[in-house]
Amino acid sequence: MIIFMRHGKMLPPYDNYESLTLFDLDSLGLRSVDPDVDSDFVWYGLKQQPAMRPLIENCDRFICSESRRTRQSCEIIMKWAGINEAVAQDSRLNEIMFLPSAWCGDYVERPLENLRQNLYQAVESENHNAEPRSSVLARLQDFFKENAQRNVFCVTHGFLMNYMKLYLSDVLGISVSSCLSADDHVPYLGIMNINVDNPRKPSPARSQDIMPRLSVTGPAVS
């Protein structure tokens, strides 16, 4: 079982994407800034989701991306669950890299709205202004194969989790529509729970991809 969780809410001004300038969004998308997490909000979110504790307690490996916010979130979550284990940082869980200003279109008064509409196109296009699909899937495939027989808790990023959901549905034909729904009370720290079984052939629509057979349960984050 592999549990994915999005990092906690970041400190201002990065706690509200709607208020960020294109420069700020580019800095996040290219990983040139690495904001701290709002630890108080993470603790608050955990108190609202007590059902998460047994899931986390059953894990034997704890991994986060290379960002500060995922490491800080993971450490707080483990402390909350009473787990004293080392946290491993893994580049395969890094957020998908992209240049937001290149995908906002001509109308930039509401850049975030346009960006959200174009993100998946950016990755699928294999354009130099976004990490290509082949790169994203290669690192996810490698990560799943390595951890298929373990109980792993991962703290990663929202776009990567959403893209993973899209891949599971499109390529493997698994219904995951409920997995990335936002929680009205705690809009961060959602869970995507993946059980890795034996590999199978992917659908003809993506015959060039090879990935383990996956089943997904539980709510997650937007």
Side-chain angles (χ1 to χ4, degrees), residues 29-40:
L30 296 176
R31 306 177 197 153
S32 59
V33 297
D34 192 7
D36 289 303
V37 76
D38 185 338
S39 59
D40 290 338

Side-chain angles (χ1 to χ4, degrees), residues 24-25 29 38 45 53 60 69 75 78 85 105 126 129 136 151 158 174 179 209 211:
D24 294 329
L25 291 172
D38 185 338
R53 189 188 296 269
D60 55 29
R69 56 191 181 275
E75 289 172 348
M78 292 172 65
E85 299 282 348
E126 302 276 330
N129 286 319
V136 177
N151 292 325
I174 297 171
C179 290
D209 300 323
M211 204 167 182

Side-chain angles (χ1 to χ4, degrees), residues 69-81:
R69 56 191 181 275
T70 58
R71 177 179 53 80
Q72 292 172 343
S73 297
C74 193
E75 289 172 348
I76 292 171
I77 293 163
M78 292 172 65
K79 184 176 181 179
W80 169 75

Side-chain angles (χ1 to χ4, degrees), residues 39-96:
S39 59
D40 290 338
F41 193 92
V42 175
W43 279 107
Y44 167 77
L46 291 170
K47 291 176 181 177
Q48 311 307 309
Q49 301 195 40
M52 284 170 37
R53 189 188 296 269
L55 291 174
I56 298 170
E57 290 174 341
N58 287 332
C59 292
D60 55 29
R61 191 179 187 196
F62 299 85
I63 311 174
C64 65
S65 76
E66 294 178 317
S67 81
R68 183 183 291 117
R69 56 191 181 275
T70 58
R71 177 179 53 80
Q72 292 172 343
S73 297
C74 193
E75 289 172 348
I76 292 171
I77 293 163
M78 292 172 65
K79 184 176 181 179
W80 169 75
I83 296 169
N84 185 23
E85 299 282 348
V87 178
Q89 290 188 295
D90 194 321
S91 63
R92 293 172 296 185
L93 297 183
N94 285 352
E95 180 63 294
I96 298 172

Side-chain angles (χ1 to χ4, degrees), residues 96-146:
I96 298 172
M97 186 179 290
F98 59 98
L99 182 65
S101 60
W103 295 98
C104 288
D106 297 329
Y107 181 64
V108 295
E109 185 176 338
R110 298 178 63 86
L112 191 60
E113 182 177 321
N114 289 338
L115 178 60
R116 284 171 172 159
Q117 294 175 357
N118 295 328
L119 273 178
Y120 296 101
Q121 178 188 345
V123 176
E124 293 291 321
S125 70
E126 302 276 330
N127 187 289
H128 68 279
N129 286 319
E131 182 181 0
R133 177 180 182 278
S134 56
S135 171
V136 177
L137 293 184
R139 56 186 172 102
L140 287 177
Q141 289 169 5
D142 190 53
F143 183 85
F144 281 123
K145 289 176 182 178
E146 179 181 313

